[in-house]
Amino acid sequence: GVDVAKLKKAADTGAPADLAAAVVAIDAAMAKAGGDPVAVANGMVSISQGLYANVVTPAGVDPTEYQHSLGAALSAQSVIAASKDPRAAKAKPEVDKLVAMWPATEAPATPAPAGQVAAQASRAQLALQ
């Protein structure tokens, strides 16, 4: 239920208004999910992993998809950090490990393999259950 277009725009521009719109989109998705931050974080982890699958292409590294996927992972981390839900506390280490797979905001020449990111996303989602 997250408006992915707003998240992508915020990641592309970094403009304060676009970042604020992304936060509103995440909050709206959380409200739609019944206010369940764990459900929102789970969705953001899924979006992050899905976007990351497009980072390493035959043409090379796609820096835009790298940043989009990082933004979704950071959103999941932010929602987990702000939540008082015990499931969030349990999942925090796995979500933190997922975010650590992006060593910087700019794509490195050799980013983490998509399979490793998918595996860590799966561990994070399992912890969010």
Side-chain angles (χ1 to χ4, degrees):
V2 176
D3 185 343
V4 178
K6 288 184 181 178
L7 300 179
K8 283 186 175 188
K9 185 175 182 187
D12 285 342
T13 69
D18 294 335
L19 293 170
V23 169
V24 169
I26 292 167
D27 288 346
M30 190 160 32
K32 186 176 180 181
D36 183 358
V38 172
V40 172
N42 192 23
M44 295 309 296
V45 167
S46 179
I47 290 170
S48 178
Q49 185 271 322
L51 291 169
Y52 198 88
N54 298 313
V55 169
V56 179
T57 69
V61 176
D62 185 327
T64 302
E65 290 302 317
Y66 177 89
Q67 289 179 337
H68 289 167
S69 62
L70 171 59
L74 289 171
S75 294
Q77 186 181 48
S78 177
V79 169
I80 290 295
S83 175
K84 297 192 186 319
D85 188 307
R87 297 171 298 164
K90 179 182 153 204
K92 186 180 183 317
E94 296 300 336
V95 173
D96 289 346
K97 287 177 190 173
L98 177 65
V99 170
M101 298 188 88
W102 287 262
T105 56
E106 298 295 321
T110 308
Q116 288 179 6
V117 172
Q120 185 56 41
S122 293
R123 286 189 284 278
Q125 289 181 307
L126 182 61
L128 287 163
Q129 300 303 313

